[in-house]
Amino acid sequence: MKEPAMPRQIFVNLPIRDMARSQAFFRALGFAFNPQFTNDQGACMVVQEDSIHVMLLVEPFFATFTEK
């Protein structure tokens, strides 16, 4: 008997330069943001509810995630 598949979540981190401009652009395309995970450093854009999210991170904050 197979075990039930675990729900999967995908979070993609993308660097951005201007938070307000980036959010306005993606809102104009019809995307929503989760305010619980959105501030001046990053914004959680919902691509597919409960499974796929894109984190828009201002470049200085994004740079703290990797040395590359």
Side-chain angles (χ1 to χ4, degrees):
M1 180 177 209
K2 287 178 92 176
E3 291 187 36
M6 292 185 61
R8 294 182 186 196
Q9 290 189 338
I10 298 171
F11 288 86
V12 177
N13 295 332
L14 295 178
I16 59 168
R17 291 192 177 137
D18 186 308
M19 180 62 72
R21 191 171 161 207
S22 295
Q23 284 190 49
F25 173 79
F26 286 108
R27 278 194 174 100
L29 293 177
F31 291 99
F33 290 86
N34 182 337
Q36 184 179 4
F37 302 107
T38 299
N39 59 29
D40 60 336
Q41 297 289 326
C44 180
M45 183 173 71
V46 179
V47 176
Q48 185 173 359
E49 192 69 35
D50 296 329
S51 61
I52 302 174
H53 301 83
V54 174
M55 294 299 299
L56 304 176
L57 306 171
V58 292
E59 287 178 338
F61 185 58
F62 180 85
T64 66
F65 286 78
T66 181
E67 295 179 12
K68 295 184 177 188

